[in-house]
Amino acid sequence: MTNFAIRPEDLQNTLAAALGERAAQITVALGEVTVHVNAAHYLSVMQTLRDAAACKFEQLIDLAGVDYSTYREVGTDGPRFGVTVHLLSVSLNQRVRVKVLCPDDELPLVASVNALWNSANWYEREAFDLFGIVFEGHNDLRRILTDYGFIGHPFRKDFPLSGHVEMRYDAERKRVVYEPVSIEPREITPRIIREENYGGLN
């Protein structure tokens, strides 16, 4: 049996009282509390989670973009992109997960929480770079992992595995050049060789 510093159900009730109607849903699963919020309330909810006396989530541990496009295949409808954030309260020894969906699939956009937690800076830039999620109010939203001229967002589920371009060093030009991908997509099926008495087994 797992021992919790704060019972997840107690934290669920505390968060429900602090957030009120701004929380679309607060769930407990596997001993973890998740707050689901609408994009319109995201920033104010995050401010409350940081500042309210019963919450005091001083640290943003992680922020990641999510592409839910394949969820439609299993009957789950809704916006394609979302953001998941993990917060930690050191002073109260409690954790919470916050999930927000981007209402527009064509221009996925949510508020930036960089002004609340400095650690959100590079996480938000990463989600922008890899998923194309725009964080409104971020003061330096630019790519962080891909190259300056990179086209597309490689963690989107519809991005081709081999990408759109490849780069190589050209000795004649004495610089790196970009060219269309020369790799042909193929499916590799492993060949299984079965031998009698393999490993001394019949």
Side-chain angles (χ1 to χ4, degrees):
M1 180 173 180
T2 306
N3 292 322
F4 298 101
I6 272 191
R7 287 182 62 249
E9 293 76 16
D10 293 343
L11 178 57
Q12 180 184 30
N13 295 334
T14 299
L15 296 176
L19 301 177
E21 306 233 342
R22 292 176 297 161
Q25 186 181 18
I26 303 175
T27 60
V28 176
L30 303 174
E32 298 177 349
V33 180
T34 302
V35 178
H36 300 264
V37 298
N38 295 322
H41 301 303
Y42 174 59
L43 187 57
S44 72
V45 163
M46 298 303 264
Q47 177 99 44
T48 300
L49 290 175
R50 188 193 69 172
D51 296 341
C55 301
K56 290 189 181 178
F57 291 100
E58 308 99 347
Q59 290 188 13
L60 183 144
I61 299 297
D62 189 27
L63 181 150
V66 184
D67 181 350
Y68 291 105
S69 59
T70 55
Y71 279 47
R72 292 179 182 135
E73 297 169 12
V74 294
T76 304
D77 242 353
R80 176 177 177 180
F81 297 102
V83 174
T84 299
V85 183
H86 291 95
L87 301 175
L88 169 68
S89 170
V90 176
S91 56
L92 299 178
N93 194 15
Q94 58 193 17
R95 296 172 183 266
V96 70
R97 178 185 302 110
V98 180
K99 290 187 174 187
V100 59
L101 295 172
C102 306
D104 186 357
D105 289 352
E106 296 302 313
L107 179 63
L109 182 137
V110 294
S112 171
V113 294
N114 189 36
L116 300 176
W117 295 280
N118 290 336
S119 59
N121 184 2
W122 282 15
Y123 291 131
E124 289 182 349
R125 286 180 58 192
E126 180 184 53
F128 166 70
D129 190 1
L130 301 180
F131 290 95
I133 298 171
V134 176
F135 292 88
E136 190 173 25
H138 193 290
N139 60 358
D140 188 23
L141 195 61
R142 58 192 164 99
R143 292 190 181 271
I144 191 169
L145 295 173
T146 58
D147 199 14
Y148 295 110
F150 193 86
I151 296 170
H153 304 284
F155 276 16
R156 288 188 173 188
K157 292 183 179 176
D158 55 2
F159 190 83
L161 288 177
S162 56
H164 297 292
V165 295
E166 60 189 17
M167 63 182 208
R168 65 175 178 83
Y169 180 76
D170 189 309
E172 290 178 9
R173 297 184 201 172
K174 298 190 184 309
R175 67 180 180 90
V176 172
V177 294
Y178 291 87
E179 298 169 339
V181 173
S182 60
I183 301 169
E184 299 223 357
R186 61 184 177 149
E187 187 175 318
I188 300 174
T189 306
R191 221 175 75 186
I192 299 171
I193 302 172
R194 300 192 190 273
E195 301 173 8
E196 287 186 31
N197 298 324
Y198 179 76
L201 301 172
N202 289 330

